[in-house]
Amino acid sequence: MTRVFSGMQPSGTPHLGNLLGAWMNWVAMQDHADCVYCVVDLHAITAPNEHDPATLRRRTVELATGMLAVGVDPERSILFVQSHLHEHAECTWLFNCVAGFGELHKMPQFKEKSAGRGESVSVGLFDYPVLQAADILLYDTDEVPVGEDQRHHIELARDIGQRFNHRFGEVFRLPKAVHPPAAARVMDLQDPTVKMSKSASSEKGIVHVLDDPARIEKKFKSARTDSATDIRHDREEKPGVSNLLEILSAATDRGVDALVTEYDGLGYGTFKGAVAEAVIELLRPIQERYAELDADPGEVARLLEEGADRARAIAVPRLERAKDAMGLLPPGTA
Ligand code: AMP
Ligand code: TRP
């Protein structure tokens, strides 16, 4: 069976972009692949701004709870917290000795996040993609479902795996990135030319997975559109309307063309109301499941422990083989 691995950072409150762009796809992949999903807290602490420990802890639980609520199924898939396995950090060290300074230095995400920070930028931020390579390669991963922005990181993981195998013998399976189909990019409701993101300047443009129906309705009703009244899909000319069409399409699993036929001529007010309604309905069962899990933190903790045990069963032998291949003396031998 195809092995899938993906991770998400506990660096904010999950929003509609995370749900439609990542989670729905993660859930769907469980039907035909052997999936491993990870809350990557070790990545979250590389963020250039100092993080608050209590907030990180809370967000880690929230993200894991969100994944379960959306439908990541702990019976079929493995869900765990990255820092619960020291193997990820240990494997990163091995890969640090295989990865090149030059290739890390030109990673677009590193350039972006370190811009203007000079020498104060942390080694962890620089090393971020190597930790990500460890995440992926430790699980014999075939496919990594991620957004386009992660393409370079997955290619680097592949390069590191290939170089390692070439130098030390076949240890790692080489992964490839897969990008989810349609509606993969949810734009900010107030500025539809930028992606909906945790780091947006205004709350009004972001729909959080746990927003209540009244708030969701308000956000969609005040979504930025244009001064015309026609409803058609044109990302250049009509970014706001196009974004709403794509959200509605993803939320209802209907094609954009059919939606245009149905809503064109009815006015923006009606259309926005329909999008709000569809998103509220999409989120309702997720929010209900979240509330149940949230009321039983012991159960979430238990599921995460079980997930970590199952993750370990895959990662430990792979790491041991890598260490052995590199010539690190196995304990108990001489
Ligand atoms: P982030 O919240 O940036 O850490 O992203 C976590 C995951 O959600 C990644 O797989 C992203 O590709 C996906 N994602 C984040 N924001 C959006 C968005 N606005 N539209 C679609 N997917 C997104
Ligand atoms: N860097 C990824 C992101 O920001 C998160 C991540 C960490 C990841 N490790 C991973 C994604 C392994 C896929 C596979 O979205």
Side-chain angles (χ1 to χ4, degrees):
M1 199 134 72
T2 305
R3 168 68 51 73
V4 161
F5 185 102
S6 199
M8 200 179 282
Q9 297 187 59
S11 55
T13 313
H15 54 73
L16 201 57
N18 299 131
L19 177 67
L20 299 180
W23 284 349
M24 298 230 320
N25 189 46
W26 287 17
V27 169
M29 288 183 109
Q30 297 178 118
D31 291 338
H32 63 265
D34 184 9
C35 300
V36 183
Y37 297 128
C38 185
V39 177
V40 292
D41 53 350
L42 296 174
H43 278 109
I45 60 173
T46 66
N49 295 319
E50 265 177 57
H51 75 274
D52 170 47
T55 306
L56 176 64
R57 224 168 279 142
R58 176 174 52 76
R59 284 177 172 167
T60 300
V61 178
E62 279 175 2
L63 194 59
T65 308
M67 289 173 180
L68 291 165
V70 163
V72 168
D73 176 1
E75 298 276 315
R76 288 188 288 166
S77 305
I78 295 178
L79 173 66
F80 73 107
V81 174
Q82 188 185 35
S83 65
H84 289 178
L85 271 74
H86 56 71
E87 285 76 10
H88 289 235
E90 189 174 350
C91 186
T92 300
W93 183 258
L94 306 186
F95 289 168
N96 277 339
C97 303
V98 173
F101 183 87
E103 60 192 346
L104 292 185
H105 205 261
K106 62 178 202 240
M107 285 287 132
Q109 199 164 341
F110 173 70
K111 282 194 194 159
E112 218 174 274
K113 289 195 184 170
S114 62
R117 293 181 180 268
E119 301 277 295
S120 74
V121 72
S122 80
V123 177
L125 187 68
F126 184 69
D127 208 28
Y128 180 115
V130 180
L131 175 60
Q132 185 165 350
D135 295 343
I136 295 167
L137 295 173
L138 277 175
Y139 295 87
D140 299 338
T141 303
D142 298 296
E143 295 183 356
V144 188
V146 278
E148 272 291 336
D149 61 326
Q150 294 296 310
R151 209 183 66 234
H152 294 95
H153 288 167
I154 315 306
E155 276 165 17
L156 181 80
R158 205 183 156 82
D159 290 346
I160 290 176
Q162 202 158 28
R163 205 173 302 148
F164 187 103
N165 289 349
H166 182 72
R167 260 190 223 167
F168 303 113
E170 288 296 315
V171 173
F172 294 107
R173 190 180 292 184
L174 304 181
K176 70 166 197 285
V178 292
H179 305 298
R185 251 166 91 84
V186 178
M187 311 307 274
D188 188 279
L189 298 186
Q190 289 301 319
D191 179 0
T193 62
V194 301
K195 254 173 59 163
M196 186 178 286
S197 144
K198 292 164 188 163
S199 51
S201 51
S202 156
E203 269 292 303
K204 283 166 66 187
I206 316 168
V207 176
H208 297 289
V209 172
L210 296 181
D211 277 351
D212 63 50
R215 183 171 295 170
I216 295 172
E217 169 130 26
K218 192 158 166 227
K219 285 177 178 172
F220 278 106
K221 287 277 166 124
S222 59
R224 174 84 60 92
T225 40
D226 48 54
S227 53
T229 57
D230 57 325
I231 292 171
R232 62 191 165 85
H233 192 268
D234 181 341
R235 277 225 185 211
E236 294 296 309
E237 294 280 315
K238 299 176 78 73
V241 170
S242 302
N243 185 37
L244 295 177
L245 275 168
E246 287 178 33
I247 291 172
L248 183 57
S249 166
T252 57
D253 212 8
R254 293 178 61 197
V256 166
D257 292 344
L259 297 171
V260 168
T261 310
E262 181 171 344
Y263 289 100
D264 192 25
L266 299 183
Y268 288 167
T270 304
F271 173 56
K272 287 176 175 176
V275 182
E277 187 63 24
V279 170
I280 290 166
E281 287 312 313
L282 175 74
L283 294 180
R284 191 188 306 281
I286 296 172
Q287 295 183 350
E288 283 170 6
R289 179 84 184 109
Y290 190 100
E292 281 169 26
L293 289 160
D294 196 37
D296 192 359
E299 174 66 1
V300 175
R302 188 187 68 75
L303 291 172
L304 290 176
E305 256 189 303
E306 212 173 84
D309 286 341
R310 289 168 60 208
R312 229 172 261 123
I314 304 172
V316 169
R318 186 55 64 227
L319 179 63
E320 292 310 320
R321 261 191 71 189
K323 287 168 73 175
D324 192 27
M326 282 182 110
L328 298 166
L329 188 69
T333 61

